[in-house]
Amino acid sequence: EVQLVESGGGLVQPGGSLRLSCAASGFTVSSNYMSWVRQAPGKGLEWVSVIYSGGSTYYADSVKGRFTISRDNSKNTLYLQMNSLRAEDTAVYYCAREGGVATNTNWGQGTLVTVSS
Amino acid sequence: QSALTQPASVSGSPGQSITISCTGTSSDVGGYNYVSWYQQHPGKAPKLMIYEVSNRPSGVSNRFSGSKSGNTASLTISGLQAEDEADYYCSSYTSSSFRVFGGGTKLTVL
């Protein structure tokens, strides 16, 4: 059974950093396209980043240059390093496995990131 | 990266059919058959309902169907049930290898 479990969320001050983790089971992270999607409180879904099985990475303009997606094959875990955080980055962050191109087949339960002083 | 356009809300009575539209451009919805739809109940993670425009994952009711014409994709739910009340989001692959979501549609079952 495919499972995704996010962790690492919390309260951080503006300008601070946070690293989110997404531990996967039931499949191999490195063999799949993996995405991060966020949802601000009371708002819609926003695509953040994707890493392809070959290692290519892509970012939404809103986070490019500040966020980095990566994976640890030995731990079968996906990461999102978030730097220079802003109030508008406050959201629940979901990791997802793309079972097909741009198809988020499996989702984690999400982890809340709050950027506030 | 502009969000795809969805109606903010739709409603229908039990047993009726409703359709939610999702309008993009030739650089996303119109250019690729990689449109997917997600259902999200309050406080829950999204759930995949339709992928590649019109395909249903295993376990999703055949009351859910998808289609596309030009730059607009549509999700139709037939035989509305109370449990269908949720937020629905469309998503598409884009020409920059990005992904883009719609703003979401709140479905109310009257």
Side-chain angles (χ1 to χ4, degrees), chain A residues 15-18 65-68 81-86 89:
Chain A
S17 297
L18 213 54
R66 300 187 299 123
F67 290 12
T68 302
Q81 176 67 43
M82 304 185 296
N83 299 330
S84 303
L85 283 162
R86 306 166 180 167
D89 295 319

Side-chain angles (χ1 to χ4, degrees), chain A residues 56-106:
Chain A
S56 298
T57 59
Y58 300 92
Y59 301 90
D61 288 347
S62 57
V63 306
K64 191 169 186 177
R66 300 187 299 123
F67 290 12
T68 302
I69 190 171
S70 65
R71 65 192 181 208
D72 184 329
N73 297 344
S74 67
K75 295 182 178 179
N76 208 34
T77 298
L78 178 74
Y79 300 101
L80 185 68
Q81 176 67 43
M82 304 185 296
N83 299 330
S84 303
L85 283 162
R86 306 166 180 167
E88 54 264 37
D89 295 319
T90 293
V92 173
Y93 284 73
Y94 296 100
C95 68
R97 181 185 78 93
E98 291 195 359
V101 176
T103 298
N104 294 310
T105 304
N106 307 100

Side-chain angles (χ1 to χ4, degrees), chain A residues 39 47 52 61 98 104 107-108, chain B residues 1 38 40 45-46 89 99:
Chain A
Q39 186 170 34
W47 174 75
Y52 286 3
D61 288 347
E98 291 195 359
N104 294 310
W107 296 70
Chain B
Q1 297 167 4
Y38 303 89
Q40 186 181 35
Y89 295 91
R99 286 85 170 120

